[in-house]
Amino acid sequence: MLSKFFIIFNASLQNEFTYRLNFILWRFRNVLRLLMTYFLWRGIFVNSPQVFGYDQSQILTYILLTLIVVSIVLSSPSGERIGEEIANGDLSNYLVKPLNYLRYWFIRDVASKILNLSFNILELSLLFLWLRPIVNLPNNLISIFGFVYAISIAVGIYFLLNASLRFFAFWSPENIWSIAFLTFVFLETLSGAVFPLDILPKTVQIGLQFTPFPYLIYYPIAIFLGKIQGLEIIRILIQSTIWLFLIFRFAQFIWKKGLKTYGAYGK
Amino acid sequence: MTDPVIQVKNLKKYYSVHQKEPGLLGSLKSLFKRKYYDVKAVDNVSFEIKEGELVGFIGPNGAGKTTTLKVLSGLLYPTSGQVSVLGFTPWERKSAYQKQFSIVMGQKNQLWWDLPAIESFILNKAIYEVPDAQFQKTLDELVDLLEVRDILKVQVRKLSLGQRMKMELIAALIHSPKILFLDEPTIGLDVVMQKKIREFIQEYNKRFNATIILTSHYMEDVKQLCERVIVIDHGTILFDGKLDEIIKKFASDKTLDVTFDGKVDLEKLKEIGKIESFEYPKATINVKRSKASEAATELLKKFQVADINITEPQIEDIIRQLFTNK
């Protein structure tokens, strides 16, 4: 079992490295985005010490953190492949093997995330050495552990949400791309990737609590920044774990239904 | 060698397919209302295959060959009927079953496009949980049989179609499956490569006593490899038996090739049988199977004959007839 994981992981990394130029350009884009965001906000703070009630270090922390969390959680290159493979029949290659298809793509996702994350850390360290921005780091271990746990659950939730969405390719192989695109626009907004959810009206915030979306971006960040503390952290983490479980069952359900209609077409 | 390893009983697989009228207007209409109709891809098919048999499925495009293989591999749930392979029900997709069979689809590839083929083999080794020693032994054997040692470490995208097909075969066989489904393994390959793949399939069947079902559009594949064939058209089995029995069963005629040595009265010749061609001194005459030797004797009696040959029609012709008569 462990060796299966390791070999799929290993092959995924090799695969990423075959597209060297692509990879380098992708990193370049990330660094550029980081720098642009940084200088934009520094410019805003030149004349005013406070914006939206945040001081410079608070907003900088928030924005850098969002960039990182989004790049870890809301990246699932596997999703697209799952949709494609169902639509064009390549799924058949996996179905005849003693292999769990979902687990396989999750491992490949994790491989690409780890690769991205390690470069992220490298780039950020260089940025910090160079620009020495002032950021707020959590001053207690609970926030850090809570953050790490929340992120891990978020990765799982996003992967499963994305995958179950792509499973609709079983029924509608031609339209899967547009369905996915539309859903992701909503999903990004409701997860807190576009703006912090606490600027929304209270009722909307309460409503969102009953969806899995804020557990993707907003809550992990809120835990890290200390906006959520103590027992509240535990409550959020338990709720997110329940969501992960529910979505896992949902994904399995759709998958099994889908396989019944799967025609294994595509020559 | 006695118990069948593959048993298929009254297998049916119907698809519901929607119809689209031609043109953009048709597309728009199909957004709102779709007409569905049933396609009977496989309609009441039964057969049994014993261990070590190499059976050929033949039939035109859309006959139901591939659908049958897909049901046997567990890719499709049948509409009705029973299927048992090695005692397993394929569509339950038990890993104990999956470790014992393999399917190769000539028009699909399972190899990782951007990596050398060896990486895909290693991946399959892990997926099928093949022990190290066995992996090395099987790999060496297959690599030597197919003569691909020098290209193991070349990116798959850079291989030719024939080389890639060989690699696909290795990837499919690395876990030493007892049962092998080959769906058009020689499609698109040149004649030399077709022959090589064919020889390999034969060797694999003999060496490992593997049970193999093969579909192909090339009659040559089937003729060379399969003692037994199952002819399928429109989802039903037309024939199941030895290849040469097809001729006995379905060929109603035999052909007499005659070379004359003297004058020929065409009217008299017409009494013998149907004249396919006549170009003095040669003639080709079709006669009823049962009357062949009678006709030959008559020819010898009534004409001056230098040479006479009674031939069976070509298997290709019979199969073509079978499919067009339906």
Side-chain angles (χ1 to χ4, degrees):
Chain A
M1 185 53 231
L2 200 66
S3 76
K4 257 193 219 187
F5 174 90
F6 181 73
I7 284 166
I8 294 171
F9 188 86
N10 183 8
S12 303
L13 285 187
Q14 286 188 49
N15 208 43
E16 303 257 351
F17 281 125
T18 50
Y19 292 91
R20 266 174 307 184
L21 183 65
N22 195 27
F23 187 76
I24 292 166
L25 288 178
W26 178 254
R27 295 323 317 173
F28 183 64
R29 167 191 174 274
N30 271 3
V31 173
L32 214 59
R33 192 165 64 175
L34 215 62
L35 286 176
M36 274 162 57
T37 319
Y38 174 79
F39 285 114
L40 173 78
W41 284 98
R42 261 240 326 231
I44 291 174
F45 278 103
V46 164
N47 293 320
S48 47
Q50 280 217 331
V51 178
F52 309 127
Y54 285 96
D55 66 26
Q56 189 176 346
S57 71
Q58 276 171 327
I59 207 108
L60 208 61
T61 313
Y62 184 83
I63 282 161
L64 285 180
L65 199 59
T66 311
L67 276 180
I68 297 170
V69 173
V70 166
S71 85
I72 297 174
V73 177
L74 299 192
S75 71
S76 178
S78 299
E80 214 170 309
R81 294 287 302 274
I82 291 174
E84 270 171 31
E85 289 186 336
I86 292 172
N88 69 21
D90 279 350
L91 174 66
S92 304
N93 281 335
Y94 304 86
L95 286 183
V96 296
K97 291 181 179 149
L99 178 76
N100 183 319
Y101 185 67
L102 261 187
R103 200 181 299 153
Y104 171 81
W105 278 112
F106 185 65
I107 294 170
R108 295 199 55 181
D109 250 10
V110 170
S112 105
K113 278 172 208 274
I114 289 181
L115 189 68
N116 265 315
L117 184 65
S118 32
F119 275 85
N120 255 330
I121 290 172
L122 183 79
E123 289 153 10
L124 271 177
S125 320
L126 291 175
L127 185 85
F128 270 77
L129 285 175
W130 172 35
L131 298 168
R132 302 190 181 280
I134 304 156
V135 291
N136 299 340
L137 293 175
N139 50 12
N140 64 77
L141 276 177
I142 297 172
S143 294
I144 293 178
F145 282 128
F147 172 71
V148 172
Y149 183 84
I151 285 268
S152 319
I153 296 288
V155 165
I157 292 180
Y158 184 73
F159 173 79
L160 290 169
L161 272 181
N162 194 358
S164 359
L165 189 66
R166 308 290 178 163
F167 289 164
F168 283 98
F170 280 123
W171 293 273
S172 182
E174 307 93 339
N175 304 319
I176 186 59
W177 193 83
S178 49
I179 294 174
F181 182 76
L182 194 68
T183 315
F184 288 130
V185 174
F186 280 105
L187 194 144
E188 268 192 32
T189 315
L190 297 180
S191 68
V194 184
F195 50 80
L197 296 178
D198 54 3
I199 66 168
L200 289 171
K202 257 274 168 306
T203 43
V204 179
Q205 283 188 51
I206 291 169
L208 277 177
Q209 278 218 351
F210 298 101
T211 72
F213 310 119
Y215 299 92
L216 294 173
I217 306 292
Y218 177 71
Y219 284 128
I221 289 178
I223 291 172
F224 186 89
L225 294 178
K227 280 192 204 171
I228 295 174
Q229 285 190 327
L231 280 180
E232 191 68 1
I233 295 184
I234 302 200
R235 186 176 70 86
I236 295 294
L237 294 184
I238 290 175
Q239 279 172 356
S240 67
T241 312
I242 292 171
W243 269 116
L244 178 67
F245 176 75
L246 289 178
I247 292 164
F248 177 65
R249 296 310 293 265
F250 175 71
Q252 273 189 325
F253 176 75
I254 304 278
W255 169 248
K256 280 187 185 142
K257 284 252 161 198
L259 282 184
K260 298 253 174 183
T261 67
Y262 181 58
Y265 307 110
K267 274 241 140 179
Chain B
M1 203 48 213
T2 44
D3 272 351
V5 286
I6 301 175
Q7 282 174 296
V8 175
K9 224 171 161 188
N10 306 323
L11 175 68
K12 287 184 187 172
K13 176 69 190 177
Y14 296 173
Y15 287 112
S16 177
V17 182
H18 88 260
Q19 232 169 349
K20 186 184 92 66
E21 283 167 44
L24 185 60
L25 196 67
S27 297
L28 285 174
K29 270 189 194 166
S30 80
L31 279 179
F32 301 103
K33 203 178 164 201
R34 290 186 172 189
K35 272 188 208 155
Y36 287 89
Y37 65 99
D38 267 349
V39 174
K40 298 179 176 177
V42 175
D43 198 12
N44 216 4
V45 157
S46 306
F47 59 87
E48 288 187 348
I49 293 174
K50 290 189 192 117
E51 190 182 356
E53 269 193 291
L54 206 172
V55 178
F57 273 16
I58 42 184
N61 283 326
K65 298 165 292 180
T66 306
T67 306
T68 308
L69 288 191
K70 282 175 179 168
V71 172
L72 290 175
S73 319
L75 286 171
L76 297 177
Y77 293 81
T79 308
S80 70
Q82 288 108 51
V83 177
S84 157
V85 187
L86 295 168
F88 293 96
T89 305
W91 50 92
E92 285 173 2
R93 287 197 280 273
K94 296 253 168 65
S95 54
Y97 171 52
Q98 292 174 321
K99 283 180 184 175
Q100 296 186 70
F101 88 95
S102 210
I103 180 166
V104 178
M105 292 178 260
Q107 285 155 322
K108 244 187 183 30
N109 47 335
Q110 62 152 314
L111 302 169
W112 284 39
W113 194 241
D114 296 314
L115 299 180
I118 184 77
E119 297 294 340
S120 291
F121 303 159
I122 293 172
L123 193 70
N124 274 5
K125 167 189 183 293
I127 289 171
Y128 287 102
E129 293 165 345
V130 183
D132 289 337
Q134 191 197 326
F135 172 76
Q136 207 49 57
K137 186 170 162 271
T138 315
L139 184 64
D140 280 339
E141 220 166 345
L142 294 173
V143 164
D144 289 340
L145 264 174
L146 288 166
E147 298 162 0
V148 288
R149 194 167 291 281
D150 51 328
I151 48 170
L152 270 182
K153 289 173 186 165
V154 177
Q155 246 187 348
V156 170
R157 63 160 74 245
K158 291 184 181 133
L159 299 177
S160 73
L161 184 63
Q163 291 172 326
R164 215 168 69 213
M165 195 58 224
K166 288 175 166 184
M167 295 303 193
E168 288 285 343
L169 280 169
I170 298 180
L173 298 173
I174 207 72
H175 61 290
S176 316
K178 284 190 193 140
I179 292 185
L180 188 55
F181 305 127
L182 299 170
D183 193 15
E184 319 240 353
T186 53
I187 199 149
L189 302 181
D190 65 48
V191 187
V192 180
M193 195 56 89
Q194 279 183 24
K195 189 159 172 283
K196 278 198 177 137
I197 299 282
R198 217 179 280 143
E199 283 165 358
F200 172 77
I201 295 169
Q202 193 150 40
E203 180 62 28
Y204 190 83
N205 169 247
K206 276 194 203 134
R207 203 185 280 197
F208 302 101
N209 196 29
T211 311
I212 301 177
I213 299 182
L214 169 111
T215 79
S216 182
H217 281 306
Y218 303 111
M219 266 318 289
E220 207 49 38
D221 284 350
V222 180
K223 267 206 254 178
Q224 296 290 328
L225 289 173
C226 312
E227 218 177 292
R228 174 181 166 197
V229 294
I230 294 178
V231 182
I232 306 183
D233 192 22
H234 291 87
T236 55
I237 293 183
L238 299 183
F239 174 84
D240 178 357
K242 290 215 164 110
L243 190 61
D244 41 13
E245 276 167 14
I246 290 190
I247 299 171
K248 279 184 207 145
K249 189 166 174 193
F250 292 102
S252 48
D253 298 342
K254 277 194 183 184
T255 310
L256 301 178
D257 290 315
V258 205
T259 313
F260 295 103
D261 199 16
K263 272 186 81 176
V264 179
D265 184 345
L266 203 60
E267 286 309 307
K268 267 188 175 178
L269 193 60
K270 276 180 185 165
E271 288 165 16
I272 306 263
K274 193 169 165 266
I275 300 171
E276 289 285 301
S277 70
F278 180 64
E279 215 172 304
Y280 190 80
K282 284 179 193 276
T284 310
I285 309 163
N286 259 348
V287 295
K288 283 258 173 293
R289 251 189 112 70
S290 50
K291 299 267 168 66
S293 45
E294 226 172 280
T297 329
E298 216 170 315
L299 264 177
L300 289 171
K301 237 190 270 170
K302 291 185 180 164
F303 301 87
Q304 280 194 301
V305 174
D307 189 21
I308 186 165
N309 240 328
I310 307 177
T311 55
E312 296 276 12
Q314 290 291 304
I315 185 108
E316 284 88 344
D317 295 332
I318 294 173
I319 289 185
R320 198 181 314 126
Q321 273 174 20
L322 264 179
F323 295 152
T324 43
N325 284 348
K326 257 290 223 187

